[in-house]
Amino acid sequence: SMPNDDKLGAMFSSYVYVTARQAIQILGCKPDYIQVRLRRLYEHGYLDRQQKNDFSEYVYFFTERGGNMAAERGHLQEPRWISKKSPMTLDHDTTISDFHMRISASGHLDQWEQWRGDLSREFDNDLIPDAKFKHCGEPGWHLLEIVKSGESGYKKGESSLVAKLKTYDKEKHHTLI
């Protein structure tokens, strides 16, 4: 265990999916240190990693062992981890982390929830947002949905994104895309 492991545990508890580049920005640590530490946490079974292809950077996330450690250290209310990760969704996941980094850097972020298991308790399965967050001093939650142009599937002549947004609007959630 290294001095910054608590900071890394807290980061993965909140951001879920993080590249070395993102970890350097979030934690403000030296690139060499972060690269080595992430690799060691992977080698010791606290983190898993996946890459989109042989030339892309690794995306790191908690294993069961890492999620249990984060919960023991108080970073998570209960253990959370990712069992399996498809390389196809890595761009989507790192885009969520990029958004989270930017909104955190603004100084206005009060709360952030991204773990799908937690969000599924509140939303129907086909309506689970990518994240929900609160701004400081504002009462309601905002929902985050990251969608590439042309990605949304169509059912009954309506894109799944439009259907999702209509449902969010009916339920009076604030939505940010």
Side-chain angles (χ1 to χ4, degrees):
S1 183
M2 298 287 286
N4 283 321
D5 283 358
D6 262 343
K7 288 180 185 173
L8 283 162
M11 176 186 70
F12 280 103
S13 296
S14 181
Y15 283 84
V16 186
Y17 299 100
V18 182
T19 64
R21 174 188 51 80
Q22 291 171 323
I24 291 161
Q25 285 182 270
I26 293 164
L27 300 174
C29 294
K30 291 186 171 123
D32 289 348
Y33 173 81
I34 291 291
Q35 297 273 4
V36 169
R37 202 66 205 125
L38 290 175
R39 189 176 64 246
R40 294 261 161 78
L41 290 168
Y42 166 73
E43 289 167 354
H44 291 271
Y46 292 100
L47 296 177
D48 200 353
R49 66 186 186 185
Q50 182 65 264
Q51 59 188 148
K52 189 175 161 186
N53 59 51
D54 291 343
F55 305 103
S56 59
E57 61 188 333
Y58 280 109
V59 177
Y60 292 86
F61 45 91
F62 276 144
T63 60
E64 184 174 355
R65 184 176 186 187
N68 283 321
M69 178 205 60
E72 286 165 16
R73 293 188 177 185
H75 301 302
L76 291 168
Q77 289 182 339
E78 57 190 77
R80 293 260 177 263
W81 63 88
I82 307 300
S83 300
K84 198 174 170 190
K85 188 71 212 148
S86 165
M88 302 297 293
T89 60
L90 292 175
D91 283 344
H92 178 262
D93 299 320
T94 56
T95 301
I96 295 168
S97 296
D98 281 336
F99 179 87
H100 187 175
M101 280 178 3
R102 286 189 183 100
I103 200 164
S104 292
S106 75
H108 299 293
L109 182 64
D110 182 31
Q111 286 178 272
W112 178 273
E113 284 185 31
Q114 183 180 338
W115 287 96
R116 198 165 169 82
D118 295 337
L119 293 169
S120 69
R121 293 181 188 141
E122 190 179 337
F123 298 92
D124 291 336
N125 236 8
D126 55 341
L127 291 173
I128 299 171
D130 292 324
K132 72 176 195 173
F133 61 96
K134 271 185 170 177
H135 285 290
C136 297
E138 287 185 14
W141 287 88
H142 297 278
L143 305 181
L144 176 68
E145 193 63 49
I146 302 287
V147 181
K148 280 186 190 171
S149 59
E151 177 185 33
S152 195
Y154 282 80
K155 285 182 192 159
K156 299 178 193 162
E158 182 173 73
S159 79
S160 56
L161 175 63
V162 169
K164 215 172 194 182
L165 292 175
K166 283 180 178 176
T167 305
Y168 289 158
D169 188 51
K170 250 191 293 193
E171 296 177 13
K172 301 293 180 241
H173 290 288
H174 298 276
T175 303
L176 184 79
I177 297 180

